[in-house]
Amino acid sequence: MADEQKGKNASNRQDDVNRETLTTRQGRPVMDNQNMRTIGNRGPATLENYHFLEKISHFDREEVPERIVHARGSGAFGYFETYGKVGDEPVEKYTRAKVFSGAGKKTPLMVRFSTVAGGKDSPETDRDPRGFAVKMYTEDGNWDLVGNNLKIFFIRDAMKFPDMIHAFKPDPASNVPNPERMFDFVSRSPEATHMITFLFSPWGIPATYRHMQGSGVNTYKWVNDKGEAVLVKYHWEPKQGIRNLTQDEANEIQAKNVAHATQDLYESIERGEYPEWELFVQIMEDGYHPELDFDPLDDTKLWPEDKFPWLPVGRMVLDQNPKDYHAEIEQAAFGTGVLVDGMDFSDDKMLIGRTFSYSDTQRYRVGSNYLQVPVNAPKTTVRTNQHRGQLDHRNPQEAGDNEHINYEPSMIGGHKEAEEPHPQHEPTYHAAAMSAPIDRPNNYGQAGETYRSFEDWERDELIDNLSDALAICDERIQTAMIKHFTQADEDYGRRVKEGIEKKRKELQEMSKEDRVPGREAGQSKFGQGSISANEAADDAVKKGHDADPY
């Protein structure tokens, strides 16, 4: 029998003659990857099972901590091709960033798309903003444009960000998602009214990653070779068109596939149908702009296109899928502070808060040397005195002409500072330091404009989705949200109020039939989650089929 088995193994090895040999992580060929080393074929196992112990211990550690936000994601590689102009003007008028100069020049890049609040394996049909993060490997180093599909955000001050995410995450006690938590926070944050209007409309569920817009959301600056600066906002427009889903359509897709957007992106590139986006910018002179009824640095606001037109600057094409999702997509690390010469920060409070947080998150998640991971490393030469830490594998040549000098300045070796070929942009401030809100919040104006701009079916979907989510919330939260919507548009508030009342009557009828679990006094009596989530939990018990033990 043993000889017969050896013959089969030899035959199999002969059939696989063209395949590469499996090795350990130390490079030693693996002779047996099926069986542990044991005393006799039934065991016990021996302690010197080195190949098994190395294999299983690495397996135990092969995931890095998932992102606190944007955990569920997908991505691809491609290039950005610049037009060399901003609209009809030379790009150099506004910025000296080389990535935009020279019509037809292509810069390699990678993109990671994501959802925001859900975990790593959450459905891609969730009603949630989508992350749209682009890393360009420019000739002057990396440039990260980190944004979302929607062009605005819930809050305008980064101080509120941890609380916002906590409110949007599942209940910390039960771990059950509960829309009451989100609306409890939003009801006390009127600046979120505009974003909620977009999120609960069909714009809150993009059909795929290929068919959604992208935006830098925050306001940045462009700086030219004279040191002159303008404010700028970035917008990605999909050449494939924009497609959104209703809640019912999303539910149908989710029942079949929780990773439909990842699959769609991957397979479209495999087919050679390369997704493409055109990059537009809006430009504004830096300043207070008293003619506007909002602060231009407020990221809960849109810049009106009639005053600040969209100007095309280039296009992005994704034509290559990752070869290793973990190495190239999961470990991809972005930061809003990753800019190149010719770009600068505006005073956008969310931008400043994100700039520290994003890169700090990557140091925690991937490690202090996350920038040495190939997908994060710039294509240009790196020479830095920031070194050591876990998994430091920088090229020794980075040490320069004297490996003994790891500091600057020095008289005897090491690196030197670069010469400044252009005047620096030097904004000047004359104000007291304080913790205070902006003086032009205008929390409802654009929310009302957005509501009125929707098509009838989009408004119907918005009202139905909001009514469904708010119906299970505390009455105080309902009252506050109705007030916010009414201040945005009277019809908006009235329809939400009527929708909540209708949903609550339906819930009361369901409760009489014992279809919805109850809650303790002082909280919603209609369950923790949304109406459909509560029904699903109840149906799982009622529709489950009895089975005998085996």
Side-chain angles (χ1 to χ4, degrees), residues 182-189 192-193 196 444 466 470 473 475-487 493 496 500:
M182 181 192 74
F183 282 109
D184 187 23
F185 176 87
V186 169
S187 68
R188 302 298 298 272
S189 306
T193 306
I196 289 293
Y444 306 109
L466 283 171
L470 283 165
C473 293
E475 289 185 10
R476 292 168 294 181
I477 297 173
Q478 294 173 350
T479 300
M481 292 307 304
I482 291 169
K483 183 178 179 180
H484 292 321
F485 298 139
T486 301
Q487 289 183 262
V496 171
I500 293 173

Side-chain angles (χ1 to χ4, degrees), residues 5-6 24 94 100 133 212 281 319 336 342 354 379 393 414 434 468 484 487 490 496 525 531-532:
Q5 184 62 44
K6 287 182 179 179
T24 67
Y94 298 104
F100 294 116
M212 70 182 193
V281 296
D319 58 3
T336 56
R354 294 175 75 202
K379 307 300 183 186
H393 55 274
M434 64 182 71
D468 189 72
H484 292 321
Q487 289 183 262
E490 188 174 348
V496 171
K525 60 184 179 180
I531 295 173
S532 57

Side-chain angles (χ1 to χ4, degrees), residues 27 141 216 222 230 300 357 371 377 434 467 473 503-504 526:
W222 272 2
V230 292
T300 70
S357 178
L371 289 172
M434 64 182 71
S467 302
C473 293
K503 294 287 184 180
R504 287 185 67 84
F526 300 118

Side-chain angles (χ1 to χ4, degrees), residues 214-236:
S215 172
V217 180
N218 296 116
T219 302
Y220 289 87
K221 286 183 180 180
W222 272 2
V223 183
N224 65 18
D225 59 6
K226 298 178 182 178
E228 301 166 338
V230 292
L231 302 178
V232 62
K233 277 186 177 287
Y234 298 99
H235 304 283
W236 296 104

